[in-house]
Amino acid sequence: SVFADISLLADEEQTPEPLLSSLDIFLFSLIAGLLIYWFFFRKKTEPVPEIKPFTPVTPQIRETSFIEKMKKTNRNIVVFYGSQTGTAEEFANRLAKDAQRYGMKGVAADPEEYDLSELSRLKEIPNSMAVFCMATYGEGDPTDNAQEFYDWMQGTDDDLEGVNFAVFGLGNKTYEHFNATGKYTDKRLAELGGKRVFDLGLGDDDINLEEDFISWKEQFWPAVCELFGVEATGEDSSIRQFELVVHNDINMNQVYTGEMGRLKSFQTQKPPFDSKNPFLATVTGNRKLNKGGNRHLMHIELDITDSKIRYDSGDHVAVYPTNDAAVVNGIGERLGVDLDTVISLKNLDEESNKKHPFPCPTTYRTALTHYLDINNMPRTNVLYELAQYASDPQEQENMRKMASASPEGKALYQSWVLDSERNILAILEDLPSLNPPIDHLCELLPRLQARYYSIASSSKVYPTSIHICAVVIEYTTKTERVFKGVATNWLKNKEVTDNGHKLTVPMYVRRSQFRLPFKPSNPIIMIGPGTGIAPFMGFIRERAWQKEQGKEAGETILYFGCRHKNEDFLYQQELEEFERAGVLTQLNVAFSRDQEHKIYVQHLLKKNKEQLWKLIHSNNAHIYVCGDARNMARDVHTAFYEIAEEVGGLTHTQAVDYFKKLMTKGRYSQDVWS
């Protein structure tokens, strides 16, 4: 480069010379000329980067201002959603759509895409309000897409006087921080001066989230009508959001085949990999873990070489499954359509950020296989919208009744859909007069979501491999149909063969707070029955690695539970070897069905109460619980409260506070599901 040449020449000049030669003068002149030229050349280019930041300002304001967008598109209701699995987003869309029935115009919005500090400006729009459908995730946390909004609420002192709002929370009572995000949003917006139009709704996914939402919605709209002095238009017919475009002559290279984001992303993989751009990991291991019984527990290994994906023990791996081809074909046959027709569903609202309900153009087959949830029981809004296509008046009436808030309607939906576990194909089979157009069905079905599994490996030992431990879900329902879990059956069939054909799984890693202590010398107490052992296999392997590195590893204690020792003692050989090697200080296993009375992990905890209390209270031990939230996690909580009362001499209230403090300090961590 010019600079390298200059510095070399300057070095030459430092050699002692008796007199300046003509060569020296020539070189100095050259250097001076180059410096002057470079100086002026640089000056000319300087204004370019200065101008750049100013050019995108106008479009940026237009993009992030939901107020300007509402004014421009004549909306007066905005429904924000904090959604991790898509349910809150679905509810927000339903509310935005409902607004039309009351002569208002609504829009559903992702808080991540807009500047929520503009909320105080909402009063500039007459008869306006903001509704928040907020799911709680993890240990009382906001969802990923609502984190910035949550942080803003915590830090702002904006005056929201004159801003109308309502909140519906989505949570699960089996978790300790039930609906924490919804409760905080409702409380905080009121503290900032906002006007609560209707009471906070608390949806409980442990019982019936759909029913909770409908009951809340049925009372919410009359409150809105009263506030704005409007009435229902009586317009109760179905309102389509998307129009069908059939592509008869299209280059198949432009058609989506299952990709989540970028077209052809499965053919040309480019990091970084995330939910919109999953990595296709090759399945390098797939073995059955249990030795007997009627269940199938499996250990899957995914190769992440060359993906640049990093993970820590305790993180989650998200996999995108595909639906059972038999169910997909069944829908096509029942509705008499060619599933390989190439289509797009195009949003009728041109201002909407959501141009399509799933990647388009694609085929009906791809949509039903990769993008739509066809296995779960449809929500009531799907039944309501499809009812118009039932030619039998009784079938149509029953479908509408199930979507209503009436007690008999709720009971019918509970028994006929939920308790009987009818998916959309079962509903089509059991209602012979129901013949919806397949494009309307595709518009209404929710998106097929990624499934999350606790990683069962340590990146210190397996930097290019991620292990999954899961139980295959398969049983017979009340209607004598076989219900198969989408992801677990799909993973089970990913057999490793030596015929050169490699089977792949679209995946990415989601970070978790479920972490080994920073100091390897801290004792750890791990409690994980069944497949809840998954993250602890990673923890134990990491502790073995730490010992190999010459680090002082603290006591490593595992409480594992299974049904029968000779059937489903998962990873038995490895665990017993770790115990022999001194990596596992203690291996406590509860075999619940090997004797007359049931023995669970919480019973073993109580047996070792003195030792456990000493480890927790005096030795700074970290507690980890993984598995079922509904029963096990609660019973383990209770066992620890009793230990604190019996050995530590605390009252029940003190014991509850004691363990709450441990959670706050990150010394009592849970990775649970219901």
Side-chain angles (χ1 to χ4, degrees):
S1 73
V2 172
F3 293 108
D5 293 345
I6 290 168
S7 62
L8 281 169
L9 293 168
D11 283 346
E12 283 175 24
E13 290 309 309
Q14 287 167 13
T15 314
E17 291 279 347
L19 285 167
L20 283 172
S21 67
S22 54
L23 177 65
D24 296 330
I25 294 162
F26 169 73
L27 287 171
F28 272 126
S29 306
L30 181 64
I31 292 164
L34 285 169
L35 284 169
I36 291 161
Y37 175 75
W38 174 77
F39 180 77
F40 283 107
F41 179 75
R42 190 190 60 154
K43 272 291 182 200
K44 272 183 196 171
T45 59
E46 250 179 17
V48 178
E50 272 181 31
I51 291 165
K52 267 187 181 171
F54 293 99
T55 47
V57 163
T58 314
Q60 206 175 347
I61 286 173
R62 192 62 65 224
E63 274 171 32
T64 61
S65 173
F66 70 91
I67 299 292
E68 295 307 319
K69 187 163 186 176
M70 286 174 76
K71 285 178 177 177
K72 189 176 149 194
T73 58
N74 199 23
R75 311 292 163 115
N76 59 341
I77 291 181
V78 58
V79 192
F80 290 105
Y81 54 85
S83 190
Q84 201 73 25
T85 63
T87 309
E89 181 180 358
E90 193 188 317
F91 285 0
N93 279 313
R94 283 161 69 175
L95 286 169
K97 206 170 167 182
D98 278 351
Q100 292 185 47
R101 297 197 171 107
Y102 301 91
M104 294 177 269
K105 283 189 85 177
V107 61
D110 183 341
E112 202 169 33
E113 292 178 7
Y114 295 101
D115 180 2
L116 266 292
S117 65
E118 287 202 327
L119 202 54
S120 58
R121 289 185 57 205
L122 190 61
K123 53 181 173 281
E124 295 172 14
I125 299 168
N127 282 2
S128 64
M129 76 175 297
V131 187
F132 296 85
C133 290
M134 305 299 284
T136 297
Y137 157 71
E139 296 297 299
D141 305 314
T143 58
D144 294 346
N145 77 313
Q147 186 65 56
E148 278 181 43
F149 168 54
Y150 193 84
D151 294 343
W152 172 78
M153 282 194 293
Q154 288 185 310
T156 190
D157 55 1
D158 282 10
D159 181 7
L160 298 186
E161 195 180 340
V163 174
N164 299 309
F165 77 90
V167 180
F168 182 80
L170 296 84
N172 189 310
K173 271 232 168 73
T174 57
Y175 293 89
E176 189 186 352
H177 305 279
F178 173 61
N179 257 315
T181 306
K183 288 172 182 172
Y184 179 76
T185 304
D186 182 69
K187 172 174 154 278
R188 188 71 186 122
L189 294 178
E191 283 171 358
L192 292 167
K195 181 181 177 182
R196 187 186 288 111
V197 171
F198 188 61
D199 297 339
L200 164 69
L202 295 175
D204 180 12
D205 201 27
D206 186 42
I207 300 167
N208 189 332
L209 188 59
E210 175 74 8
E211 187 177 306
D212 295 336
F213 177 63
I214 287 173
S215 301
W216 180 83
K217 192 163 73 90
E218 289 289 313
Q219 295 172 285
F220 162 75
W221 282 117
V224 174
C225 290
E226 193 179 329
L227 176 74
F228 296 141
V230 295
E231 284 179 24
T233 58
E235 184 58 58
D236 250 11
S237 65
S238 159
I239 304 155
R240 290 290 301 260
Q241 272 182 291
F242 299 90
E243 65 174 340
L244 173 66
V245 178
V246 178
H247 304 282
N248 293 315
D249 184 21
I250 191 168
N251 180 346
M252 292 308 281
N253 282 326
Q254 298 170 328
V255 177
Y256 281 88
T257 57
E259 307 93 324
M260 295 301 140
R262 180 175 56 85
L263 188 68
K264 297 271 177 279
S265 62
F266 285 169
Q267 280 98 312
T268 52
Q269 293 257 277
K270 291 177 192 167
F273 296 104
D274 54 26
S275 59
K276 301 271 188 339
N277 180 36
F279 176 67
L280 285 183
T282 303
V283 179
T284 52
N286 184 348
R287 62 186 166 97
K288 188 177 180 182
L289 286 170
N290 51 321
K291 298 186 280 283
N294 54 8
R295 296 185 303 161
H296 183 102
L297 295 119
M298 59 191 173
H299 173 88
I300 307 276
E301 297 185 8
L302 304 176
D303 184 5
I304 56 166
T305 309
D306 300 328
S307 67
K308 293 194 168 76
I309 289 173
R310 301 280 175 268
Y311 73 94
D312 286 306
S313 302
D315 282 342
H316 299 123
V317 57
V319 303
Y320 282 103
T322 60
N323 286 312
D324 185 347
V327 182
V328 173
N329 290 331
I331 293 171
E333 284 163 23
R334 168 65 179 77
L335 296 179
V337 292
D338 176 4
L339 292 178
D340 297 309
T341 307
V342 181
I343 57 118
S344 287
L345 286 180
K346 202 172 136 209
N347 204 320
L348 290 161
D349 175 6
E350 287 178 11
E351 295 299 328
S352 175
N353 284 7
K354 195 175 181 181
K355 302 298 175 200
H356 312 281
F358 43 78
C360 289
T362 190
T363 64
Y364 287 125
R365 187 182 305 284
T366 300
L368 293 169
T369 304
H370 295 277
Y371 299 138
L372 297 170
D373 185 348
I374 60 173
N375 206 45
N376 280 320
M377 291 77 76
R379 296 197 186 278
T380 56
N381 66 306
V382 178
L383 300 179
Y384 181 85
E385 300 246 359
L386 293 182
Q388 61 185 306
Y389 303 114
S391 54
D392 180 300
Q394 190 57 54
E395 287 183 2
Q396 189 175 114
E397 189 192 327
N398 284 342
M399 287 178 79
R400 290 233 163 94
K401 190 188 281 182
M402 283 190 277
S404 75
S406 70
E408 57 267 37
K410 286 178 180 177
L412 184 60
Y413 177 70
Q414 182 68 44
S415 64
W416 198 77
V417 178
L418 299 183
D419 295 346
S420 304
E421 296 181 83
R422 280 181 169 90
N423 62 16
I424 192 65
L425 178 57
I427 285 170
L428 289 167
E429 287 171 345
D430 294 345
L431 297 174
S433 86
L434 179 62
N435 284 297
I438 192 166
D439 60 292
H440 199 175
L441 182 69
C442 289
E443 173 181 322
L444 292 169
L445 291 174
R447 282 292 293 269
L448 181 61
Q449 299 293 326
R451 304 308 203 254
Y452 297 97
Y453 297 97
S454 303
I455 295 176
S457 50
S458 161
S459 59
K460 302 288 190 291
V461 186
Y462 300 101
T464 61
S465 182
I466 282 178
H467 300 178
I468 294 172
C469 170
V471 58
V472 176
I473 297 165
E474 187 172 338
Y475 56 87
T476 305
T477 69
K478 285 181 179 176
T479 65
E480 297 303 309
R481 292 177 170 95
V482 176
F483 178 90
K484 289 183 174 184
V486 172
T488 53
N489 280 277
W490 168 76
L491 283 170
K492 178 190 173 187
N493 293 325
K494 297 273 179 185
E495 293 289 350
V496 182
T497 59
D498 51 9
N499 64 4
H501 180 60
K502 291 179 176 177
L503 293 169
T504 57
V505 168
M507 53 72 67
Y508 67 96
V509 166
R510 183 174 75 182
R511 310 298 283 173
S512 151
Q513 299 302 312
F514 205 69
R515 286 278 178 274
L516 275 169
F518 181 68
K519 285 186 189 166
S521 56
N522 281 125
I524 59 171
I525 300 156
M526 303 170 286
I527 303 140
T531 55
I533 196 169
F536 303 137
M537 292 310 295
F539 281 10
I540 295 161
R541 287 186 175 117
E542 193 145 322
R543 280 263 153 129
W545 176 83
Q546 286 170 344
K547 285 192 103 158
E548 281 169 24
Q549 302 297 304
K551 293 178 183 172
E552 184 206 333
E555 286 191 62
T556 303
I557 297 166
L558 175 67
Y559 286 85
F560 172 62
C562 60
R563 295 177 184 181
H564 301 282
K565 183 174 183 174
N566 59 0
E567 278 186 13
D568 52 3
F569 187 168
L570 307 185
Y571 301 106
Q572 179 180 0
Q573 200 179 334
E574 288 130 289
L575 291 171
E576 287 172 350
E577 276 172 23
F578 280 128
E579 191 181 29
R580 276 194 295 275
V583 174
L584 259 182
T585 322
Q586 247 182 281
L587 173 59
N588 307 285
V589 190
F591 304 107
S592 62
R593 302 183 187 185
D594 273 352
Q595 60 287 310
E596 264 185 53
H597 61 287
K598 299 266 176 75
I599 295 176
Y600 295 121
V601 282
Q602 61 268 24
H603 300 131
L604 300 189
L605 292 171
K606 291 293 298 290
K607 253 188 177 176
N608 300 335
K609 56 188 179 184
E610 279 85 7
Q611 180 214 13
L612 286 168
W613 181 249
K614 188 183 174 205
L615 282 168
I616 296 163
H617 194 60
S618 309
N619 298 3
N620 208 30
H622 287 233
I623 302 164
Y624 300 91
V625 182
C626 182
D628 161 49
R630 189 176 279 119
N631 302 308
M632 182 277 300
R634 277 184 178 173
D635 294 340
V636 165
H637 263 336
T638 306
F640 277 123
Y641 296 155
E642 288 170 5
I643 289 169
E645 290 164 44
E646 291 166 24
V647 187
L650 306 183
T651 65
H652 181 69
T653 311
Q654 287 171 330
V656 171
D657 286 346
Y658 183 90
F659 284 100
K660 268 195 177 151
K661 280 194 182 109
L662 286 191
M663 285 181 174
T664 310
K665 288 177 184 169
R667 277 184 52 208
Y668 191 128
S669 304
Q670 296 188 100
D671 181 0
V672 293
W673 54 84
S674 64

